[in-house]
Amino acid sequence: MITIKQVAEYAGVSVATVSRALNDSGYVGKESRKKVEEAVEALGYFPNEVARSLFQKTSRMLGLLLPDISNPYFPLLAKGVEDCAQKNGYMVILGNVEEDADKEEMYVKFFSQYNISGILSAASGKKAYGAQVPQVLLDRALEGENYSVSTDDTLGGELAGQAVVDAGAREIIVMAGPRKVSGARDRLSGILSVLNKEQVSYKVLETETFNVEKAEATAQKLFDTFDTFDTVIANNDVFALAVMKEAIKRGFSIPEDIQIIGYDNMLFSRLMYPGLTTVAQPAYEVGYKGAKMLIDLIEKKTVADKRVKLEPELIRRDSLR
Amino acid sequence: MITIKQVAEYAGVSVATVSRALNDSGYVGKESRKKVEEAVEALGYFPNEVARSLFQKTSRMLGLLLPDISNPYFPLLAKGVEDCAQKNGYMVILGNVEEDADKEEMYVKFFSQYNISGILSAASGKKAYGAQVPQVLLDRALEGENYSVSTDDTLGGELAGQAVVDAGAREIIVMAGPRKVSGARDRLSGILSVLNKEQVSYKVLETETFNVEKAEATAQKLFDTFDTFDTVIANNDVFALAVMKEAIKRGFSIPEDIQIIGYDNMLFSRLMYPGLTTVAQPAYEVGYKGAKMLIDLIEKKTVADKRVKLEPELIRRDSLR
DNA sequence: CTCCATTCTGTAACCGATTACACACTCAGT
DNA sequence: ACTGAGTGTGTAATCGGTTACAGAATGGAG
C-alpha cells in the first residue's frame, strides 16, 4: 500500500504539503503541486479512507436499514440509494433488520463503531436515538422533527379507490395492511375517504403484515370470510397476485367476476396475465432522493424541504373492468 | 464518544491493560480484568472499529458486488450474505455494478480504501485483480485457482430437460441465456445433453441478457420466429413469465397447448396462475455459504472445499403437463 | 537464599491521514 | 530600508486503538 509518506518522499516535499495539495486546502506552491501530482501518478497513490476517517470522525459511508430485502419493493429503493451514493463518492452499508428492534439497535451501534456519516432507515419508522448522525427516513414518514422522503400514500389510496369506483365496483374488500406502518395507514385512509364519499359499500380485511410468506394464507382467508364481493383492493402487488391466483382457482374470472387493484407496481405485475392494474410507488426515486437529502445534510448544505412526498401513479392494465 | 483512554482512567489502569482485557490477549490480572469490566459497563464503552482497522489493516467489512439488485434473484442471495455476516460480526458493503467493468473496478478500489477484509462477487465472474484480499465468487464459478459457491447449473439444466421430456415434449424451444455467464452455459449444456440423449427435437433461441427489461420483447420474438413448438425452456422465471403472458395473449392455453418451465423459483412463480414449474436455485444458501467461506478464509481457518456446488431442485407446479 | 520462569503492567511506538502552529520568504506601500 | 500582509512549507500533535518491549512482582526449584 502506498502511503502519503511515500508520496511526500518521492515528490521531495512534506506530508503536509501533499495533503494540502490533494485536498485543495491551505496554500500550495505551483511547483510543489506539480511535483505532488507527478508522484501520485507515478506511484498510483490513493488515500486511505480509514486513516482519514479516524481523524475526521466521519467516513463517507451511509448506513441503509431495510426491513426485508426479499420484499421486491426494497431492492429498487436500495438501487436508488446506491446510485446516488456512488455518484457522490459514498459507500452504502447494508442492514437487513427484519422488523426486529434488537437487530436495528445492533446495527445502529455497528454503524457508530464505523464512524458512519449518516443513516437511511426504511425500517421501523422510529428514529434511531442511539445515533448522533444525520438520518433520513425512507418511505415511512413520521411526525415531528424528522427528515423523510416517502410516497404520498394518502394520494395513492385515493387513486386506487377512485380507479375502482370508476370501474363500477359495488362490493369492495379492502385489505388494510399493517396498522403500525404509517404508509399503510395513509393508504387505507385515502381509500376509505373516496369510498365513503362515493358511497360504495365495502368491508375491511385486517392483515397484520407485508410478509410475503403470508400472502397465500391471507388470500384464502379473504375468500373464506367474505362471499359477496366484486372487487379487491390489495395492500400490495404480492398480495394482489395471491388473491388473483386464489380467485382463478375458485373459478372466478378476472376482471369479469372479480376485479383487483394492487399497490407498488412490481416487475411481475406487468408480466403476468392479466396485467395487474396497480398504483406505482416511485421506489427508486424515494431511495435516490433520500440519499441525496442525507448527503446534503451531512455536507451541511441547506435542504429545502424536510419532508418530501413523491407522487404515486395509477398504472392501468387489465385487472379492472 | 467514550475512548479506551477514558476507560483506562476510570478503571485506574493503562490503556494497554484495557486493550488486553477486552481482546483476551496477553496476561491480565484478575483484579484488573474486573476493574476494566466495571469501567466498560459504567461508561457504556465499545471500541471504535476505525481506529482498530487502521492498525490492523483489516476491518470486519465484506464487500458484496452484485450485477443487478433489481433482478429478484440477488436480493435473496444478499440476504444470505447479510445473515451470515451479521452472525459473525461482519458488516456488508453493497456494490451494484450493473455488468459495468469500470464500476466494478471503482468499487474494488473503494473497498481497498476502506481496508475491507474480503470480497464476495456475483458480478463479472472475473477475479478482481486489483484487490489483494480473499475473494469468493458467487453463482458464477470460474476455472482456475478461485474460491466459489454456486449452483450446479449443469444438473439444473438436466433437471429441466428431463422434466420436459417426461411431460411429453416433442418440439422444444430452448432459450439460451447470455453465453458469457458460466451458469447459463452450464445450464444450456445440461439441457441439451438430455434432449440429445432422448432424441427430442429442439431449437435454440439466443438471448443476450438476463436483463428484465428485455423480457417482453424476447417473448414476442420467440413467438414471431418459431411457429411449431409445444414446449419452452426459459432461462429464468422472469422470462418464463413473459413467455406465458405472450402465449395466453395469443390464445394458447398452458399447459395444454404450450408447456413452460422456468429457472430460479422466484416468489411470484408460486403465486401466479398457473403455478410455474421451475428449477429452484438455492440463492439464499449460495449467499450464506459464500459468506461463510469468505469469513473462514479471512480468519485463516481451513476451508475444506474451494468450489462448492449446491444442488438445484425441480419444483413441480402446473405449467408442465 | 539465589535464580529463573511466569505473570502482570505501563510506556511508547505505530497505523495513515489532517491540521495547528511556527517560521521563512516575497513583495507592495511608505 | 522598514513594515506587514499574503504565500508557502515543514514539524509535530492528533484521532483511538494495538502491541513490542522493558521492568516489576511472584513463586517454585535447587
Side-chain angles (χ1 to χ4, degrees):
Chain A
M1 182 191 228
I2 311 293
T3 71
I4 197 173
K5 213 169 158 185
Q6 289 169 270
V7 175
E9 205 160 312
Y10 187 102
V13 298
S14 74
V15 293
T17 300
V18 176
S19 176
R20 279 188 293 252
L22 294 175
N23 296 303
D24 270 327
S25 60
Y27 296 112
V28 180
K30 254 186 163 176
E31 272 294 282
S32 304
R33 167 158 278 131
K34 207 179 137 210
K35 283 193 287 182
V36 169
E37 275 161 10
E38 281 167 9
V40 166
E41 183 67 27
L43 300 174
Y45 168 81
F46 48 93
N48 182 309
E49 273 299 324
V50 175
R52 176 178 276 168
S53 167
L54 179 59
F55 190 88
Q56 316 239 322
K57 292 162 184 291
T58 177
S59 67
R60 300 191 81 77
M61 293 197 288
L62 270 28
L64 174 62
L65 258 20
L66 257 30
D68 178 13
I69 331 183
S70 60
N71 179 331
Y73 174 77
F74 293 106
L76 226 61
L77 185 149
K79 191 174 181 180
V81 169
E82 212 267 355
D83 276 2
C84 181
Q86 198 257 112
K87 209 162 282 176
N88 291 273
Y90 283 76
M91 306 283 300
V92 176
I93 295 196
L94 192 61
N96 194 48
V97 300
E98 292 169 30
E99 322 207 354
D100 173 342
D102 285 351
K103 242 183 146 181
E104 189 169 342
E105 206 178 322
M106 195 209 61
Y107 265 111
V108 171
K109 191 173 155 186
F110 265 179
F111 287 170
S112 81
Q113 291 189 284
Y114 284 95
N115 289 3
I116 255 183
S117 35
I119 297 181
L120 284 161
S121 174
S124 72
K126 270 186 301 190
K127 220 177 145 178
Y129 283 107
Q132 58 292 65
V133 292
Q135 263 180 87
V136 356
L137 266 21
L138 295 183
D139 196 44
R140 305 194 177 182
L142 200 66
E143 288 71 38
E145 282 300 293
N146 296 298
Y147 290 87
S148 66
V149 177
S150 53
T151 308
D152 187 339
D153 283 309
T154 307
L155 175 58
E158 289 166 7
L159 251 29
Q162 195 62 54
V164 136
V165 169
D166 291 349
R170 329 214 107 247
E171 275 292 331
I172 304 174
I173 307 299
V174 181
M175 299 171 82
R179 300 278 178 169
K180 59 183 175 184
V181 177
S182 71
R185 282 198 309 272
D186 292 350
R187 203 176 312 174
L188 184 61
S189 77
I191 294 168
L192 298 189
S193 74
V194 171
L195 264 32
N196 289 329
K197 200 184 71 197
E198 303 271 355
Q199 303 200 322
V200 185
S201 164
Y202 65 85
K203 296 206 178 70
V204 174
L205 174 71
E206 296 294 331
T207 57
E208 293 296 302
T209 170
F210 279 144
N211 188 328
V212 292
E213 302 296 327
K214 301 285 165 56
E216 282 167 314
T218 305
Q220 281 164 24
K221 190 175 144 201
L222 189 150
F223 281 90
D224 290 343
T225 39
F226 303 104
D227 38 59
T228 58
F229 59 93
D230 62 358
T231 303
V232 177
I233 302 183
N235 47 12
N236 66 35
D237 281 4
V238 173
F239 279 64
L241 182 55
V243 170
M244 268 175 77
K245 175 169 190 170
E246 192 64 24
I248 297 176
K249 236 174 158 178
R250 297 191 182 214
F252 298 102
S253 68
I254 295 168
E256 291 74 17
D257 302 330
I258 294 179
Q259 47 181 356
I260 299 178
I261 188 167
Y263 204 91
D264 278 353
N265 189 32
M266 285 171 176
L267 171 69
F268 58 78
S269 311
R270 186 177 81 194
L271 259 29
M272 62 204 271
Y273 192 87
L276 180 66
T277 295
T278 191
V279 177
Q281 289 202 68
Y284 179 89
E285 258 196 293
V286 168
Y288 196 98
K289 294 212 165 147
K292 188 69 179 70
M293 183 189 275
L294 182 60
I295 291 171
D296 285 347
L297 243 29
I298 290 167
E299 297 178 351
K300 313 256 183 241
K301 293 179 195 152
T302 53
V303 342
D305 197 353
K306 296 183 70 157
R307 328 188 63 186
V308 347
K309 289 243 175 209
L310 269 23
E311 290 207 355
E313 184 194 355
L314 181 69
I315 308 289
R316 287 172 206 281
R317 285 194 276 249
D318 319 306
S319 64
L320 290 191
R321 289 194 285 271
Chain B
M1 182 190 229
I2 310 292
T3 71
I4 198 172
K5 215 169 157 184
Q6 289 169 270
V7 175
E9 206 160 312
Y10 187 101
V13 298
S14 73
V15 293
T17 300
V18 175
S19 176
R20 279 187 294 251
L22 294 175
N23 296 304
D24 270 327
S25 60
Y27 296 111
V28 179
K30 254 185 163 178
E31 271 294 282
S32 303
R33 166 158 280 132
K34 209 180 136 210
K35 282 193 287 183
V36 168
E37 275 161 10
E38 282 167 9
V40 166
E41 184 66 26
L43 301 174
Y45 168 80
F46 48 93
N48 181 309
E49 274 297 326
V50 175
R52 175 177 277 168
S53 168
L54 179 59
F55 190 89
Q56 317 237 301
K57 292 162 183 290
T58 178
S59 67
R60 301 191 80 78
M61 294 198 286
L62 270 28
L64 174 62
L65 257 22
L66 256 30
D68 178 14
I69 334 182
S70 60
N71 178 330
Y73 174 77
F74 292 106
L76 226 61
L77 185 148
K79 191 175 180 179
V81 169
E82 211 266 356
D83 276 2
C84 180
Q86 198 257 111
K87 208 162 282 177
N88 291 274
Y90 283 76
M91 305 284 299
V92 176
I93 296 197
L94 191 62
N96 195 49
V97 300
E98 290 168 31
E99 323 207 354
D100 174 341
D102 285 350
K103 243 184 143 180
E104 190 170 342
E105 205 178 323
M106 195 210 61
Y107 264 112
V108 171
K109 190 173 155 187
F110 265 179
F111 287 170
S112 81
Q113 291 189 284
Y114 284 96
N115 290 2
I116 254 184
S117 34
I119 297 181
L120 285 161
S121 174
S124 72
K126 270 188 301 190
K127 221 178 144 178
Y129 284 107
Q132 57 293 66
V133 292
Q135 262 179 90
V136 354
L137 266 22
L138 295 182
D139 198 45
R140 307 194 176 182
L142 200 66
E143 288 72 39
E145 284 298 294
N146 294 298
Y147 290 86
S148 66
V149 176
S150 54
T151 308
D152 186 339
D153 283 308
T154 308
L155 175 58
E158 289 166 7
L159 249 30
Q162 195 62 54
V164 135
V165 170
D166 292 349
R170 331 215 104 247
E171 275 293 331
I172 304 172
I173 306 300
V174 181
M175 298 171 82
R179 300 278 179 171
K180 59 183 176 185
V181 177
S182 72
R185 283 198 308 272
D186 292 350
R187 204 175 311 173
L188 184 61
S189 78
I191 294 168
L192 298 190
S193 75
V194 170
L195 264 34
N196 288 329
K197 200 185 71 197
E198 302 272 353
Q199 304 201 320
V200 185
S201 165
Y202 65 85
K203 295 205 179 72
V204 174
L205 174 71
E206 297 293 333
T207 56
E208 294 296 302
T209 169
F210 279 144
N211 188 328
V212 292
E213 301 297 326
K214 300 284 166 55
E216 282 167 314
T218 306
Q220 281 165 24
K221 189 175 146 202
L222 189 152
F223 281 89
D224 289 344
T225 41
F226 304 105
D227 37 59
T228 58
F229 59 93
D230 61 359
T231 303
V232 177
I233 302 182
N235 47 14
N236 66 33
D237 281 5
V238 173
F239 279 64
L241 181 55
V243 170
M244 269 175 76
K245 176 169 189 169
E246 192 65 23
I248 298 177
K249 236 172 154 176
R250 297 191 183 216
F252 298 104
S253 68
I254 297 168
E256 291 74 17
D257 302 329
I258 294 178
Q259 47 181 356
I260 299 178
I261 188 167
Y263 204 90
D264 279 351
N265 189 33
M266 283 169 176
L267 172 69
F268 58 77
S269 311
R270 187 178 80 192
L271 259 28
M272 61 205 270
Y273 192 88
L276 180 66
T277 294
T278 191
V279 177
Q281 290 203 67
Y284 178 89
E285 257 196 292
V286 168
Y288 197 98
K289 294 211 165 148
K292 189 69 178 72
M293 182 188 274
L294 182 60
I295 291 171
D296 285 347
L297 244 29
I298 291 167
E299 298 179 352
K300 313 257 184 238
K301 293 181 194 151
T302 52
V303 341
D305 198 353
K306 295 182 71 158
R307 328 188 62 186
V308 348
K309 289 241 175 213
L310 300 177
E311 290 206 356
E313 184 193 355
L314 179 69
I315 308 288
R316 287 171 207 281
R317 285 194 276 249
D318 319 307
S319 64
L320 290 192
R321 288 195 285 271

